[in-house]
């Protein structure tokens, strides 16, 4: 009797195994890779900043140094390319700002004022991305309006030029969403030594520092 039960149990076990082998195998669920953030794409933004610099007023009797400073507000636009499977980001950017940067200095009954009403720059950028944070350096051509006013008693004169020089700096950007990017940066700008001759007073505008903050809308991935 025990032998018969053992034979029946073995037969049932074999038939169950054969049936299970004939059942269709369910495919494992596919793993979909979620793409990481990419800095590639164009962008446009708005910014605000503060600048301070140096200007020298020279006349036959000596010289006078002024420290122009003030605020600016404007916009910027550019394009970045992040190299495949690399944290390296390359880009180009241009900006334009309305400015209120000036300083007046006086001596011996005369005064001289240097003033900047607008500034701009076109820069190449290179950055290192850590996911949604980008550390970058940028440099290129800078340009600005420089107006000079000289007054002695009731006599006065003014002149203006477009100063052209170079700028270099760096900053950090953070993508708070896939399309919104905020930034903070510092720039050093050398606008050369343009000379204005007003009432016999040469004026040389030399350099400028600035700090900027901005927010931009980024297009695409």
């Amino acid at each position: 009797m025990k032998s018969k039960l053992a034979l029946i149990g073995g037969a049932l076990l074999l038939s169950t195994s054969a049936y299970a082998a004939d059942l269709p195998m369910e495919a494992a669920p596919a793993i979909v890779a979620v793409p990481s953030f990419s800095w590639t794409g164009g962008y446009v933004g708005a910014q605000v900043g503060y600048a301070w610099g140096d200007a020298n007023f020279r006349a036959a009797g000596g010289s006078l140094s002024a420290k122009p400073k003030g605020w600016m507000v404007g916009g910027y636009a550019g394009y970045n390319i992040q190299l495949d499977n690399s944290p390296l980001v390359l880009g180009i950017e241009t900006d334009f700002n309305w400015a209120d940067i000036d300083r007046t200095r006086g001596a011996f009954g005369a005064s001289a004022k240097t003033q900047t009403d607008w500034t701009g720059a076109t820069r190449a950028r290179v950055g290192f991305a850590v996911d949604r944070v980008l550390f970058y350096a940028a440099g290129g051509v800078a340009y600005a309006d420089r107006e000079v006013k000289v007054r002695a008693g009731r006599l006065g004169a003014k002149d203006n030029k477009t100063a052209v020089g170079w700028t270099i700096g760096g900053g950090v950007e953070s993508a708070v969403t896939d399309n919104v990017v905020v930034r903070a940066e510092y720039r050093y700008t050398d606008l050369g030594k343009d000379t204005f001759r007003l009432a016999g007073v040469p004026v040389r505008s030399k350099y400028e520092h600035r700090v900027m903050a901005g927010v931009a809308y980024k297009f695409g991935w």
Side-chain angles (χ1 to χ4, degrees):
M1 183 66 178
K2 291 181 179 180
S3 299
K4 291 181 179 180
L5 289 175
L7 289 173
I8 293 172
L12 289 174
L13 180 62
L14 290 175
S15 61
T16 302
S17 300
Y19 176 76
D22 292 336
L23 290 176
M25 297 287 291
E26 290 187 6
I31 299 175
V32 179
V34 178
S36 60
F37 181 80
S38 172
W39 287 90
T40 297
Y43 57 90
V44 293
Q47 62 186 1
V48 62
Y50 185 80
W52 64 99
D54 177 81
N56 297 313
F57 302 86
R58 297 185 179 274
S63 65
L64 191 65
S65 179
K67 304 291 184 182
K69 57 186 177 180
W71 294 91
M72 66 189 73
V73 61
Y76 58 96
Y79 193 89
N80 289 322
I81 297 177
Q82 183 169 0
L83 303 186
D84 291 340
N85 301 317
S86 168
L88 186 62
V89 178
L90 304 177
I92 188 168
E93 179 181 298
T94 188
D95 72 310
F96 184 88
N97 308 281
W98 290 270
D100 184 16
I101 305 169
D102 58 55
R103 185 66 183 270
T104 301
R105 293 300 300 270
F108 308 108
S111 66
K113 179 180 182 181
T114 179
Q115 178 176 324
T116 297
D117 294 325
W118 59 263
T119 72
T122 299
R123 307 179 296 160
R125 305 201 322 158
V126 58
F128 184 88
V130 183
D131 194 18
R132 291 177 175 268
V133 176
L134 177 67
F135 301 92
Y136 68 90
V141 179
Y143 28 89
D145 165 67
R146 285 298 171 91
E147 183 177 274
V148 172
K149 299 178 181 179
V150 176
R151 178 166 293 278
R154 295 184 178 181
L155 300 178
K158 66 178 181 179
D159 191 16
N160 71 292
K161 293 184 178 181
T162 298
V164 179
W166 56 271
T167 185
I168 191 169
V172 59
E173 293 185 340
S174 176
V176 294
T177 72
D178 287 345
N179 301 106
V180 178
V181 179
V182 296
R183 70 157 56 165
E185 72 168 31
Y186 163 81
R187 296 189 207 177
Y188 173 88
T189 301
D190 189 327
L191 292 169
K193 297 181 179 180
D194 291 330
T195 298
F196 302 79
R197 294 191 176 275
L198 302 170
V201 181
V203 179
R204 292 198 269 184
S205 298
K206 190 178 180 183
Y207 64 80
E208 176 192 271
H209 302 273
R210 71 174 64 175
V211 288
M212 307 287 291
V215 57
Y217 184 86
K218 176 182 176 296
F219 301 93
W221 283 91

